[in-house]
Amino acid sequence: MNHGPTARRRLKTAAAASAIAALLGGCISASAGPQGTYATPIGNAPVTANPTPYSAALYCMADYARRYNLPSPRIAVGRISDYTGTVSADGGRQITGGASAMAMTALAKAGARLVERYDTSVGEMELRYANNRLIGDEGVGGPDDVEYRRILAGSVPGSDFYIIGGITEVNYNIRSGGFDMAAGQATSDTPLSTAFAGKAYVMNVAIDLRVVQTTSFEVVDVISYQKQIIGREISAGVFDFLNGNVFDISAGEGGLEPVQLAVRALIERATVEFMANLYGAPGPDICLSAGPDPLGGTTGPTGGYYPAYANTDTNNGDTRADPSRWHDRRDGAVRRSRY
């Protein structure tokens, strides 16, 4: 049997690898514990709210409508689909398919009256069952007094407007940049090498939404917005030979602004503009603090803006393209709601 230096080094390497494997597997048991699990899931972050920089403006819009007793039209949300066709590396969709649900949440923040039109499967089934006298409701006589549910004409309220559209753009690597630097000793017996690298790139996502009047199918408002998203990566490492041993130590940090949260922000920004129009509100002035507008001046409208009401002298059409408008950290005019 060979007990030379090479064999001993191999034995030490195998022992180290075994120790690392045992350490990594120490938290996993082959038999379930008293709680019925093999391992305890990591992570204890609590559930938190999921606002965007435009949520404060939506709450402010709802406060404005309540303060002046402005009735909200009944609004439905249709299909807001992903038309980009992008697919992630694991085969799933790169962009969220839940944009319609995000729009419903944004409308609720703005105090809108919502009617369900996106998924009516349960309601339609209930109507079918009721029509066949299969659903019973408790009568005035108590649990034993059961009457079949009756279908009354006109019991379902209709919508006045509905919102449809889609996610229409995803542009990767609009611009990127970075650096990669390495240095080391060429003549020393124990050369030390270091490396530094940094990368950043920008992409964007865009939506096109429209408001349609339900009874006439007339498109009364159109909005197109885009938002840029940034990603970055920084890494550093040290590589060295010491007495025949190789040491490679590296560390890095990277991050990508959430793409799906960017979609939610786009929808909330568009909803602020839609609701300001539908409420007949004078645009951003409704959320101004005391004093003049710190973002004075006007810019051109986006999309094919058309007023739902005859308020062209005071509406928000001329302020839509301002990127800081309604943003809770860039527009000092936005009043945060206490709700």
Side-chain angles (χ1 to χ4, degrees):
M1 180 178 296
N2 185 6
H3 294 286
T6 302
R8 285 195 294 272
R9 282 198 297 269
R10 290 177 179 176
L11 183 60
K12 290 180 180 179
T13 302
S18 300
I20 293 174
L23 180 63
L24 293 176
C27 298
I28 302 175
S29 174
S31 59
Q35 302 299 325
T37 59
Y38 293 107
T40 301
I42 64 173
N44 60 351
V47 175
T48 62
N50 193 25
T52 76
Y54 304 97
S55 296
L58 290 170
Y59 298 139
C60 179
M61 191 71 64
D63 289 343
Y64 172 83
R66 285 192 293 266
R67 185 181 310 114
Y68 294 102
N69 197 25
L70 296 176
S72 166
R74 293 192 183 97
I75 303 176
V77 177
R79 185 176 294 108
I80 302 178
S81 303
D82 171 23
Y83 294 116
T84 64
T86 56
V87 179
S88 64
D90 58 3
R93 286 283 185 179
Q94 188 78 20
I95 303 298
T96 177
S100 295
M102 293 179 181
M104 295 177 198
T105 301
L107 287 167
K109 291 179 180 179
R113 298 173 64 190
L114 290 168
V115 291
E116 181 61 57
R117 294 295 185 269
Y118 187 74
D119 185 357
T120 59
S121 57
V122 175
E124 291 173 355
M125 182 173 291
E126 292 269 321
L127 287 174
R128 287 198 299 269
Y129 284 173
N131 189 50
N132 294 324
R133 300 188 176 184
L134 297 176
I135 295 181
D137 292 326
E138 184 177 320
V140 295
D144 295 332
D145 182 16
V146 178
E147 299 178 354
Y148 67 87
R149 181 179 297 177
R150 297 179 181 180
I151 300 177
L152 302 177
S155 60
V156 178
S159 65
D160 300 308
F161 300 93
Y162 63 92
I163 297 175
I164 53 176
I167 303 166
T168 50
E169 292 184 39
V170 174
N171 301 302
Y172 295 98
N173 204 6
I174 295 176
R175 178 167 293 185
S176 62
F179 65 90
D180 194 339
M181 180 183 68
Q185 301 176 6
T187 59
S188 174
D189 295 334
T190 58
L192 175 66
S193 299
T194 58
F196 301 92
K199 299 177 182 178
Y201 68 93
V202 177
M203 60 177 287
N204 82 329
V205 59
I207 62 168
D208 290 83
L209 301 179
R210 58 193 183 273
V211 176
V212 183
Q213 192 170 22
T214 305
T215 55
S216 65
F217 289 160
E218 181 184 5
V219 178
V220 298
D221 206 350
V222 175
I223 274 183
S224 177
Y225 279 139
Q226 69 89 31
K227 185 184 187 310
Q228 292 192 347
I229 302 165
I230 189 169
R232 59 183 173 80
E233 181 179 349
I234 302 173
S235 62
V238 176
F239 186 81
D240 195 10
F241 292 92
L242 293 175
N243 298 324
N245 298 309
V246 179
F247 294 89
D248 187 357
I249 303 173
S250 61
E253 187 268 343
L256 173 65
E257 186 178 353
V259 177
Q260 319 306 350
L261 187 59
V263 175
R264 185 183 295 275
L266 286 167
I267 291 174
E268 290 203 353
R269 169 69 192 267
T271 302
V272 170
E273 307 290 0
F274 284 152
M275 292 308 299
N277 187 25
L278 294 176
Y279 280 138
D285 294 339
I286 65 173
C287 291
L288 289 180
S289 304
D293 184 355
L295 295 176
T298 60
T299 55
T302 62
Y305 174 79
Y306 181 82
Y309 298 109
N311 61 342
T312 52
D313 294 334
T314 58
N315 61 29
N316 60 325
D318 290 336
T319 62
R320 290 191 170 188
D322 189 337
S324 295
R325 188 69 69 177
W326 302 114
H327 195 293
D328 67 354
R329 289 186 290 273
R330 301 175 69 182
D331 186 353
V334 174
R335 178 176 57 82
R336 290 179 178 272
S337 173
R338 63 181 181 273
Y339 300 105

